[in-house]
Amino acid sequence: MEDLTLALDLEGVLITNAYTQLPRPGLMSFLVECVSIFGQNNLCIFTRVEEQLFRQIAHKLRDDNKVPDWFPDIRYIDWVGEHKDLRFVDDDIDRVIIIDDYPPYIKQSQKHRLIPIKQYTDPYSHESPDDTDDELSFVLKKLLNYIQ
């Protein structure tokens, strides 16, 4: 799928939030599978978290063996405006798929490129995240169906 780019949100998708930074169950295997499908150069992060903080989080996750070694160097998309505009990823939005837990952030005209995922815990709760969460496996199946 080298002609497609997969954009990933961070908070509520890959981790709880930028404060607690708890990785979602299955994160490592999900990212490994995404690389095998799209290639490392066709993955990116599209988040409200500023790049410097994202890179710190990514390095910590790597150091804790929760993500592959390449993850701290993943392409980061600067978000400008009210909505995530997939044209920041590629001029041709039909070459982009985004996984996000908050559909209102995606431009209405681009929602057909969204694969929604359930939020990984309430980002501002004091509850422990759900260790039985298997959303990444579920979304990976949806992703494979989407690209076939």
Side-chain angles (χ1 to χ4, degrees):
M1 294 279 93
E2 292 184 18
D3 58 336
L4 287 175
T5 297
L6 179 62
L8 300 166
D9 183 32
L10 180 66
E11 293 181 297
V13 175
L14 304 181
I15 64 171
T16 48
N17 58 67
Y19 178 72
T20 59
Q21 305 174 11
L22 299 171
R24 189 171 214 145
L27 178 58
M28 175 72 85
S29 60
F30 174 76
L31 292 172
V32 168
E33 285 296 317
C34 288
V35 163
S36 72
I37 296 167
F38 294 93
Q40 187 175 325
N41 292 332
N42 292 336
L43 297 180
C44 64
I45 295 292
F46 204 165
T47 180
R48 271 216 185 267
V49 175
E50 291 185 13
E51 185 173 8
Q52 182 178 1
L53 178 55
F54 163 70
R55 300 284 177 206
Q56 290 172 357
I57 293 167
H59 279 94
K60 181 182 183 315
L61 290 169
R62 186 207 50 211
D63 293 347
D64 292 344
N65 295 314
K66 301 297 183 183
V67 297
D69 288 340
W70 54 261
F71 188 71
D73 299 316
I74 193 171
R75 180 177 162 210
Y76 177 92
I77 304 299
D78 286 316
W79 180 356
V80 178
E82 182 179 341
H83 296 98
K84 290 181 179 177
D85 186 341
L86 300 181
R87 291 176 297 176
F88 289 126
V89 177
D90 192 302
D91 289 336
D92 180 358
I93 66 162
D94 288 329
R95 293 174 37 128
V96 181
I97 300 169
I98 186 165
I99 297 175
D100 204 304
D101 64 317
Y102 194 68
Y105 278 153
I106 310 303
K107 289 185 79 155
Q108 188 64 37
S109 64
Q110 299 176 358
K111 289 204 176 174
H112 66 288
R113 305 306 297 170
L114 168 68
I115 295 180
I117 188 170
K118 291 180 186 172
Q119 185 181 53
Y120 186 47
T121 73
D122 179 352
Y124 304 105
S125 76
H126 297 288
E127 298 176 18
S128 296
D130 181 3
D131 291 343
T132 64
D133 177 284
D134 64 351
E135 270 299 293
L136 290 176
S137 294
F138 179 69
V139 165
L140 187 60
K141 290 175 189 168
K142 285 172 49 176
L143 182 61
L144 290 170
N145 287 333
Y146 187 90
I147 61 177
Q148 291 180 355

